[in-house]
Amino acid sequence: QQPVQSPQAVILREGEDAVINCSSSKALYSVHWYRQKHGEAPVFLMILLKGGEQKGHDKISASFNEKKQQSSLYLTASQLSYSGTYFCGTEITSTNAGKSTFGDGTTLTVKP
Amino acid sequence: EPEVTQTPSHQVTQMGQEVILRCVPISNHLYFYWYRQILGQKVEFLVSFYNNEISEKSEIFDDQFSVERPDGSNFTLKIRSTKLEDSAMYFCASSEATRSGNTIYFGEGSWLTVV
């Protein structure tokens, strides 16, 4: 069963913050986040493992709440370059070897 | 920066024809993947490959699909008898080890159109 992402779309002004959520009805081993711009390949952002860790790089960070089976992606002080579709991928065991189930994506538009 | 390369970038094929999509993963990577993205839809996992065999595959990856690493550098996806619904962008990806904590590098994709 695929993870559910919310919201489906976000429109921001430069400098504003956004949170994108990814929820699963199944117990998860890992959650990974990607950004994809129109007509381009997905770009891996980060992976979070069971254990409730939080990761980040630059102004993009994420958390994984194991109890809620939910991950959140935080984008702070958004830049125009952040525009794109963000989607999460989930794996239910460590032996899945990449067998991910992806969410439908959240379209983020950052305006000047 | 090392990258995953895919060929062709776009292929048009007749329904029922065989198609081979090629990928050159990053040289020191050990895990290889194929994903599919139908236009306007989400990315879907097809198959993962490690140590010269399939590690995992999805329900989409039926008998008409196969993967191969014929020469130690290329990683191919073969679709034996294409159907209209196989039209999609096919992404190859690779990682250094398992996904756990490792960056997944995607190729630019091969756009397959079945007519």
Side-chain angles (χ1 to χ4, degrees):
Chain A
Q1 192 171 1
Q2 73 173 71
V4 176
Q5 284 187 235
S6 62
Q8 287 186 322
V10 183
I11 299 175
L12 299 174
R13 293 283 179 195
E14 256 186 305
E16 291 181 340
D17 302 339
V19 180
I20 299 170
N21 297 307
C22 172
S23 298
S24 174
S25 59
K26 291 188 173 184
L28 298 176
Y29 173 74
S30 66
V31 179
H32 23 108
W33 287 95
Y34 300 86
R35 176 172 61 211
Q36 185 178 30
K37 294 185 183 278
H38 184 69
E40 297 182 10
V43 174
F44 177 85
L45 295 176
M46 64 191 79
I47 186 167
L48 299 104
L49 304 179
K50 184 177 174 179
E53 65 179 84
Q54 183 155 356
K55 279 195 175 183
H57 62 94
D58 285 344
K59 294 174 182 167
I60 301 175
S61 61
S63 63
F64 178 22
N65 187 321
E66 198 179 320
K67 288 181 182 175
K68 292 184 179 179
Q69 301 308 322
Q70 177 176 304
S71 178
S72 296
L73 184 72
Y74 307 95
L75 301 111
T76 58
S78 58
Q79 305 167 16
L80 295 175
S81 61
Y82 285 7
S83 291
T85 299
Y86 290 79
F87 59 91
C88 62
T90 58
E91 292 169 352
I92 57 173
T93 74
S94 62
T95 57
N96 265 141
K99 186 177 183 180
S100 307
T101 307
F102 296 95
D104 285 331
T106 296
T107 303
L108 178 73
T109 304
V110 181
K111 296 187 172 180
Chain B
E1 185 173 314
E3 58 180 21
V4 176
T5 56
Q6 290 185 241
T7 54
S9 56
H10 188 191
Q11 182 161 353
V12 181
T13 190
Q14 295 257 336
M15 192 168 56
Q17 294 296 305
E18 177 182 282
V19 161
I20 297 176
L21 304 179
R22 292 183 169 80
C23 168
V24 180
I26 294 171
S27 60
N28 63 334
H29 285 189
L30 301 176
Y31 283 81
F32 316 117
Y33 316 91
W34 282 101
Y35 300 91
R36 179 180 83 175
Q37 188 173 32
I38 294 169
L39 185 64
Q41 297 186 22
K42 66 185 176 81
V43 174
E44 299 172 292
F45 169 81
L46 292 178
V47 65
S48 59
F49 192 85
Y50 171 72
N51 201 25
N52 284 318
E53 59 182 26
I54 291 174
S55 300
E56 293 280 352
K57 58 183 182 178
S58 71
E59 301 74 22
I60 301 168
F61 194 88
D62 61 22
D63 291 343
Q64 71 160 345
F65 290 93
S66 62
V67 289
E68 200 175 37
R69 190 156 159 81
D71 56 13
S73 60
N74 289 286
F75 178 51
T76 61
L77 174 69
K78 182 191 288 186
I79 309 174
R80 285 192 187 83
S81 179
T82 50
K83 305 171 191 168
L84 293 176
E85 53 265 36
D86 293 328
S87 294
M89 179 72 89
Y90 288 82
F91 291 108
C92 174
S94 69
S95 66
E96 214 171 325
T98 64
R99 283 177 162 252
S100 305
N102 283 281
T103 300
I104 317 300
Y105 292 86
F106 278 79
E108 291 299 310
S110 291
W111 182 247
L112 176 65
T113 303
V114 183
V115 296

